[in-house]
């Protein structure tokens, strides 16, 4: 009898995650290029992918690191606007939109990572709800500052101002990129579904490898018992900060991708509600469950679209579904019922396999 | 004089924040949860008062009473239906449920009253007091708000110190299990806390909209977040802390608005919060809890 090679649960989970994303691409891409998808669905593909990346990256902070962050949209915002500025600045020198998108996503990620470093150093000293409120505060501060920021470009380079567009002193051929409360205007839409899928795969690659690495195990140890982890010589601050910065970088990349799917993006878009929305995706998908994050994001993002038929009531129904799911999944009786049902199914499958051999 | 005017306006706004923050802090102290729907209860309270005065032509005290009763019932209902089943669940599950309740209330308000802003008629029909030959003008809204804040503060302090229910509330916030063993009905105590917090939210809503008369389904959310910040600022779980945090936040906000930048005022408020939390991680009046190894 040939010995079956045992596949670890990590590998199964990884294959599930990558497989799902690739499958989604293989199914949706031909549909999109054939024009079968209507405009509203087609236009949602890139935002969904950006949100999936956001959920994956937030799962790193909230799930693996165990710290509640309520300002994740702030990092997305930093990435979005630095990304847009980069793309516009490069529009003359780099002709290929794919390359421009790539560079802008990398720059967006880097700036968000720096923001993550600046915010992470003070924030990670705090615990629990205090950490949550400070991340919320940082998210609001980032939104507020970008709301007052004016950026323009002309032959002599980039110009910044905190007052208004006249203060930019642009020459005649100059162009305003970031116009205060109106946000980034006149963005060239260079984000594509293919690029978005690649970004998800990249995020999966980073996060899945990270959590199964030495760093990931250290992060999990810190989450489960900080004092015990510290006493066996794990540098708590270093690992926490590493995870936090990577999470911020991925959020920034998602932001850069997201912004370049629209012609205008305002800082107001990346507010507290967006942070909460992503958190809802992560919690409903399951902590430390990347596969769940992807599924939950896709379903919950599409849910209001699917409920469009009942237009006025859709957000109400959404709220009720949210509450109902939380109540049901935390109800002991329902849980026990699901557990026995799953055990039965597994038992039957195992029994069939046993019968065949 | 300008300084004094700003200070008074700051105290007025801060008093509203303080009343809202009390709701957050009491619920946090007892149920150990962040009640994100609190800001939306404020909005419901303001709408109730608006409807009672505009459509039913009721006198102001009756309208405020109706708003308080409706909000109290709403608070108890929310607690019973959405939070009570999650008493033993993780804090994140409760948080997400609270967010769900917040969405629910906002969208319910959107369905009932529409998205167009309503102009709230002030419940204080007196105009303003002019002092020092017109150099210092204080609106009656501000005076009433500050007075209401002081009355509520003293009332709550006496209530939690003296009454049996108040003592039960303090016991539950100290140690839920021990309180239960001493024969305190924990569920009832939590319900009462929600009732009080929501009634205060109704008052805060009416006062807030009297000073800033734009009423929309999202009216409550930003003051809610700010008041929550105020509660953390003062040390969450502490009633005097909520008062202090609320007042300071209001004053900082008004000063930032008039001396630095209107647009950046929120960033400044949150920046001060961050600095305070970094220096004193449990807030201004928060208790330091020893860490068990």
């Amino acid at each position: 009898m040939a010995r079956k090679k045992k596949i670890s649960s990590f590998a199964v989970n990884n294959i599930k995650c990558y497989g799902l994303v690739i499958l989604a691409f293989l199914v949706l891409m031909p549909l999109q290029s054939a024009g079968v998808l209507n405009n509203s669905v087609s236009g949602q593909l890139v935002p969904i992918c950006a949100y999936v990346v956001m959920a994956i990256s937030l799962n790193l902070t909230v799930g693996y690191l165990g710290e509640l962050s309520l300002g994740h949209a702030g990092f997305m915002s930093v990435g979005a606007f630095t990304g847009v500025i980069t793309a516009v600045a490069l529009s003359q020198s780099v002709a290929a939109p794919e390359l421009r998108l790539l560079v802008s996503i990398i720059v967006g990620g880097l700036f968000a990572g720096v923001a993550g470093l600046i915010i992470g150093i003070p924030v990670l000293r705090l615990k629990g709800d205090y950490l949550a409120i400070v991340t919320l505060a940082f998210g609001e501060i980032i939104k507020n500052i970008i709301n007052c920021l004016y950026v323009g470009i002309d032959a002599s380079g980039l110009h910044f101002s905190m007052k208004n567009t006249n203060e930019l002193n642009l020459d005649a051929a100059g162009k305003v990129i970031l116009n205060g409360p109106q946000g980034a205007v006149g963005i060239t839409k260079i984000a594509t579904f293919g690029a978005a899928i690649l970004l998800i795969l990249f995020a999966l690659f980073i996060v899945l490898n990270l959590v199964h690495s030495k760093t990931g195990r250290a992060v999990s140890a810190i989450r489960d018992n900080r004092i015990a982890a510290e006493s066996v010589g794990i540098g708590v601050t270093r690992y926490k900060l590493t995870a936090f910065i990577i999470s911020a970088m991925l959020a920034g990349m998602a932001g850069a991708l997201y912004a370049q799917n629209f012609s205008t993006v305002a800082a107001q878009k990346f507010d507290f509600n967006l942070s909460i929305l992503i958190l809802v995706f992560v919690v409903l998908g399951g902590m430390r469950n990347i596969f769940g994050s992807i599924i939950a994001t896709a379903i919950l993002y599409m849910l209001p679209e699917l409920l469009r038929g009942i237009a006025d009531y859709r957000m109400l129904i959404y709220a009720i579904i949210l509450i109902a799911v939380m109540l049901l999944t935390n109800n002991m009786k329902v849980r026990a019922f699901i557990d026995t049902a799953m055990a039965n199914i597994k038992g039957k499958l195992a029994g069939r396999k046993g019968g065949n051999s | 004089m300008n300084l004094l005017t700003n200070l008074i306006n700051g105290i007025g706004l801060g008093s509203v924040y303080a009343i809202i923050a009390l709701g957050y802090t009491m619920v946090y102290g007892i149920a150990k949860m962040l009640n994100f729907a609190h800001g939306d209860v404020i909005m419901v309270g303001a709408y109730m008062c608006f409807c009672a005065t505009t459509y039913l032509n009721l006198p102001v005290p009756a309208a405020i009473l109706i708003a308080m009763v409706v909000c109290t019932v709403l608070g108890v209902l929310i607690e019973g239906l959405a939070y009570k089943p999650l008493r033993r669940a993780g804090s994140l599950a409760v948080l997400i449920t609270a967010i769900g309740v917040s969405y629910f209330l906002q969208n319910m308000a959107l369905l009932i009253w529409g998205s167009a802003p309503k102009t709230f008629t002030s419940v204080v029909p007196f105009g303003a007091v002019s002092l020092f030959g017109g150099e210092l003008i204080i609106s009656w809204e501000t005076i009433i708000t500050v007075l209401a804040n002081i009355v509520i503060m003293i009332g709550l302090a006496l209530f939690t110190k003296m009454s049996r229910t108040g003592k039960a509330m303090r016991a539950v916030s100290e140690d839920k299990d021990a309180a239960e063993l001493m024969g305190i009905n924990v569920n009832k105590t939590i319900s009462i806390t929600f009732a009080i917090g929501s009634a205060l939210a109704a008052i805060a809503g009416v006062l807030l909209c009297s000073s800033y008369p734009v009423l929309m389904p999202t009216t409550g959310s930003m003051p809610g977040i700010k008041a929550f910040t105020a509660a953390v600022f003062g040390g969450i779980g502490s009633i005097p802390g909520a008062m202090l945090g609320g007042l300071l936040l209001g004053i900082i906000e008004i000063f930032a608005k008039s001396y630095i930048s209107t647009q950046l005022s929120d960033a400044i408020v949150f920046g001060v919060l961050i600095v305070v939390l970094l220096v004193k991680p449990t807030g201004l009046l928060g208790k330091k809890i020893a860490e068990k190894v």
Side-chain angles (χ1 to χ4, degrees):
Chain A
M1 207 168 100
R3 255 178 79 189
K4 255 192 210 158
K5 209 176 184 183
K6 196 157 186 202
I7 306 174
S8 71
S9 63
F10 298 157
V12 171
N13 188 35
N14 289 6
I15 293 166
K16 249 168 52 183
C17 292
Y18 290 121
L20 177 71
V21 176
I22 295 170
L23 185 73
F25 179 70
L26 291 179
V27 172
L28 290 171
M29 193 63 201
L31 288 179
Q32 193 199 17
S33 45
V36 180
L37 297 180
N38 63 7
N39 265 343
S40 80
V41 175
S42 184
Q44 300 296 341
L45 290 176
V46 174
I48 291 182
C49 292
Y51 283 140
V52 167
V53 176
M54 287 296 288
I56 293 171
S57 79
L58 188 63
N59 210 336
L60 185 63
T61 309
V62 180
Y64 290 98
L65 188 58
E67 300 290 9
L68 180 57
S69 166
L70 296 178
H72 214 53
F75 298 124
M76 192 179 184
S77 183
V78 170
F81 291 103
T82 48
V84 167
I85 292 169
T86 312
V88 175
L90 290 177
S91 57
Q92 302 297 326
S93 48
V94 182
E98 293 84 8
L99 188 62
R100 212 158 66 218
L101 183 66
L102 179 69
V103 174
S104 70
I105 286 178
I106 291 171
V107 171
L110 285 178
F111 270 91
V114 171
L117 176 72
I118 296 170
I119 293 169
I121 291 173
V123 160
L124 293 174
R125 288 178 49 199
L126 301 167
K127 286 191 204 82
D129 296 327
Y130 290 95
L131 187 140
I133 191 78
V134 170
T135 50
L136 187 164
F138 267 116
E140 289 295 315
I141 290 176
I142 291 175
K143 186 185 85 183
N144 226 292
I145 290 177
I146 295 179
N147 239 337
C148 305
L149 193 63
Y150 295 83
V151 179
I153 189 168
D154 62 10
S156 55
L158 286 171
H159 296 247
F160 297 90
S161 164
M162 293 293 279
K163 291 209 182 76
N164 53 49
T165 46
N166 294 333
E167 294 275 318
L168 292 172
N169 293 322
L170 295 173
D171 63 22
K175 188 184 167 198
V176 177
I177 306 174
L178 201 55
N179 191 4
Q182 289 176 19
V185 285
I187 308 170
T188 331
K189 295 190 207 173
I190 50 177
T192 58
F193 183 46
I197 289 288
L198 285 178
L199 186 63
I200 297 183
L201 291 176
F202 175 73
L204 281 177
F205 177 77
I206 297 280
V207 172
L208 291 175
N209 280 305
L210 181 81
V211 298
H212 298 138
S213 70
K214 181 170 169 261
T215 311
R217 286 190 296 275
V219 165
S220 296
I222 293 167
R223 178 196 67 230
D224 290 339
N225 193 331
R226 189 180 60 84
I227 295 166
E230 216 165 7
S231 68
V232 295
I234 294 173
V236 171
T237 314
R238 206 191 104 200
Y239 284 109
K240 269 185 159 180
L241 206 54
T242 312
F244 195 72
I245 291 173
I246 291 175
S247 171
M249 280 181 76
L250 289 175
M253 293 175 142
L257 176 86
Y258 180 84
Q260 297 182 71
N261 185 53
F262 300 97
S263 51
T264 52
V265 166
Q268 217 62 40
K269 174 79 195 143
F270 306 100
D271 62 354
F272 172 64
N273 289 324
L274 182 64
S275 299
I276 291 291
L277 190 69
I278 308 287
L279 183 67
V280 168
F281 295 159
V282 172
V283 174
L284 285 189
M287 298 292 208
R288 299 187 285 287
N289 186 345
I290 301 288
F291 185 73
S293 289
I294 302 174
I295 298 272
T297 308
I299 292 177
L300 286 176
Y301 189 86
M302 290 312 283
L303 193 58
E305 295 292 320
L306 295 176
L307 293 174
R308 208 171 269 281
I310 39 172
D312 290 344
Y313 297 92
R314 65 195 179 114
M315 284 314 285
L316 200 65
I317 305 257
Y318 182 81
I320 293 172
I321 290 176
L322 195 60
I323 299 171
V325 168
M326 281 337 277
L327 291 184
L328 289 178
T329 49
N330 283 288
N331 188 314
M332 283 306 150
K333 278 181 191 154
V334 176
R335 265 222 169 138
F337 176 76
I338 293 173
D339 283 349
T340 39
M342 290 301 275
N344 273 338
I345 294 168
K346 273 192 184 150
K348 271 184 190 154
L349 287 177
R352 197 175 291 163
K353 267 184 198 160
N356 285 345
S357 66
Chain B
M1 264 328 133
N2 199 3
L3 186 79
L4 203 57
T5 313
N6 283 329
L7 188 66
I8 289 168
N9 286 339
I11 293 174
L13 179 64
S15 297
V16 177
Y17 286 156
I19 299 172
I20 308 172
L22 280 175
Y24 274 111
T25 225
M26 283 170 66
V27 166
Y28 184 87
I30 287 179
K32 296 283 174 288
M33 65 163 287
L34 303 177
N35 182 14
F36 263 106
H38 194 66
D40 302 294
V41 178
I42 300 169
M43 174 270 299
V44 173
Y47 267 115
M48 280 302 148
C49 183
F50 173 80
C51 288
T53 48
T54 316
Y55 301 133
L56 302 176
N57 289 320
L58 287 176
V60 168
I64 296 177
L65 198 67
I66 288 178
M68 283 174 71
V69 170
V70 170
C71 284
T72 308
V73 172
L74 186 67
V76 173
L77 269 182
I78 291 172
E79 199 274 326
L81 292 177
Y83 303 153
K84 196 185 270 177
L86 296 173
R87 197 77 24 100
R88 300 271 164 211
S91 62
L92 262 178
V94 188
L95 184 76
I96 302 288
T97 312
I99 291 162
V101 173
S102 163
Y103 281 171
F104 180 81
L105 291 179
Q106 278 185 23
N107 287 294
M108 207 62 185
L110 194 68
L111 275 183
I112 299 175
W113 292 291
S115 59
K118 300 244 187 297
T119 315
F120 193 90
T121 17
S122 173
V123 292
V124 194
F126 304 131
V129 184
S130 182
L131 292 175
F132 305 111
E135 276 201 62
L136 183 65
I137 294 169
I138 310 170
S139 70
W140 269 102
E141 281 88 357
T142 311
I143 298 172
I144 299 279
T145 308
V146 175
L147 286 180
N149 186 20
I150 294 170
V151 169
I152 288 169
M153 217 55 221
I154 295 172
L156 261 187
L158 289 178
F159 177 74
T160 46
K161 278 259 150 39
M162 306 290 191
S163 73
R164 279 180 72 85
T165 323
K167 281 181 190 159
M169 281 162 68
R170 281 190 295 147
V172 173
S173 81
E174 199 76 21
D175 188 331
K176 211 186 276 179
D177 295 328
E180 196 149 28
L181 289 175
M182 295 298 127
I184 293 171
N185 187 340
V186 171
N187 276 333
K188 201 177 121 200
T189 313
I190 294 180
S191 291
I192 293 173
T193 312
F194 267 87
I196 296 174
S198 306
L200 293 181
I203 299 176
V206 173
L207 291 172
L208 180 78
C209 289
S210 294
S211 301
Y212 302 87
V214 184
L215 184 54
M216 285 189 292
T218 50
T219 293
S221 55
M222 200 56 198
I225 293 175
K226 289 227 184 96
F228 170 46
T229 316
V232 177
F233 196 50
I236 196 154
S238 141
I239 290 180
M243 172 89 169
L244 183 67
L247 284 177
L248 282 178
L249 204 79
I251 294 171
I252 295 170
E253 187 177 332
I254 296 287
F255 272 66
K257 265 192 184 138
S258 42
Y259 293 114
I260 306 173
S261 157
T262 320
Q263 288 158 322
L264 283 176
S265 68
D266 285 355
I268 294 164
V269 167
F270 287 117
V272 172
L273 166 85
I274 291 169
V275 172
V276 168
L277 283 188
L278 291 180
V279 178
K280 209 164 175 310
T282 47
L284 292 172
L285 300 180
K287 275 178 282 181
K288 180 122 182 72
I289 301 160
E291 205 169 342
K292 280 182 200 151
V293 181

